[in-house]
Amino acid sequence: RIEDVQKKTSIKIEVETPQGYDPSRTYPLFIALHGGGETLADFKPNWTSPRLRSEFITAYIQSSQVASMRGFHWQDEALTRRDVEAAYKQILEKYPVDVRRVLIGGFSSGGYGSMIIAFHGGLPVRGFVALCPEVPRTIRDEDILAAKTRSLRGTLLTTEMDNRVE
């Protein structure tokens, strides 16, 4: 059943513009990815801040990858890249994004997806925030060195209770 539903799903995007939004100027973009088994409705209220609301265009993206009858996840690397890159393209068509100031972040599965995009995606991501993610096994030392040459910055937040990260 999941395979049948998977064929019919697509990404969803909700964009919040900053207070005092002026379409004649550019803004930094923060891309927010939900956790595994979640939807935009579950995730969006928890991923905002005064700084995002005042300075950033914030794009909340719901994956097309079906996790359950109600939720989605970011576990397939190729689909994650496809979904986020398609969403990014749509966002650029509608909003004045400063492409030199793109950040991405997410919780759990969304943190995993954020790291995939930061290290392997086709977006000009300058930084990432990953909260309690599974760290992608495909990120190798050479990927980290390449990211360093691009001046990629990142924050990985977790706790001692998270057995997926040493």
Side-chain angles (χ1 to χ4, degrees):
R1 289 184 181 191
I2 287 178
E3 288 177 17
D4 290 339
V5 173
Q6 182 68 55
K7 294 174 188 174
K8 300 172 189 170
T9 63
S10 61
I11 58 172
K12 289 184 182 177
I13 307 166
E14 290 186 17
V15 176
E16 297 283 331
T17 56
Q19 299 159 345
Y21 175 71
D22 176 358
S24 69
R25 64 169 282 231
T26 61
Y27 293 88
L29 172 66
F30 184 79
I31 299 169
L33 306 181
H34 59 79
E38 291 184 331
T39 64
L40 283 180
D42 300 326
F43 178 69
K44 189 175 172 185
N46 299 313
W47 273 73
T48 189
S49 72
R51 188 165 184 196
L52 284 177
R53 286 189 299 271
S54 67
E55 297 177 28
F56 284 76
I57 293 172
T58 304
Y60 298 90
I61 305 172
Q62 181 173 291
S63 172
S64 69
Q65 300 170 54
V66 178
S68 67
M69 294 298 286
R70 189 182 164 306
F72 300 84
H73 62 98
W74 301 97
Q75 291 301 300
D76 182 296
E77 288 190 30
L79 290 177
T80 295
R81 286 192 304 272
R82 182 199 71 191
D83 285 355
V84 176
E85 290 170 12
Y88 179 73
K89 183 178 177 183
Q90 290 179 38
I91 293 160
L92 289 184
E93 290 172 358
K94 296 178 183 177
Y95 298 94
V97 172
D98 180 347
V99 297
R100 297 166 299 155
R101 298 168 59 200
V102 177
L103 306 174
I104 191 166
F107 167 68
S108 188
S109 173
Y112 175 89
S114 297
M115 294 174 73
I116 291 299
I117 297 302
F119 287 94
H120 298 300
L123 277 61
V125 173
R126 296 299 307 242
F128 68 90
V129 177
L131 177 60
C132 298
E134 174 184 343
V135 177
R137 291 190 173 119
T138 58
I139 297 174
R140 303 163 307 188
D141 290 346
E142 52 266 29
D143 298 319
I144 294 169
L145 293 172
K148 182 179 176 183
T149 64
R150 295 190 324 264
S151 300
L152 177 70
R153 305 286 303 255
T155 299
L156 191 152
L157 301 169
T158 192
T159 73
E160 67 277 0
M161 303 298 288
D162 187 350
N163 61 4
R164 297 172 299 175
V165 179
E166 290 184 25

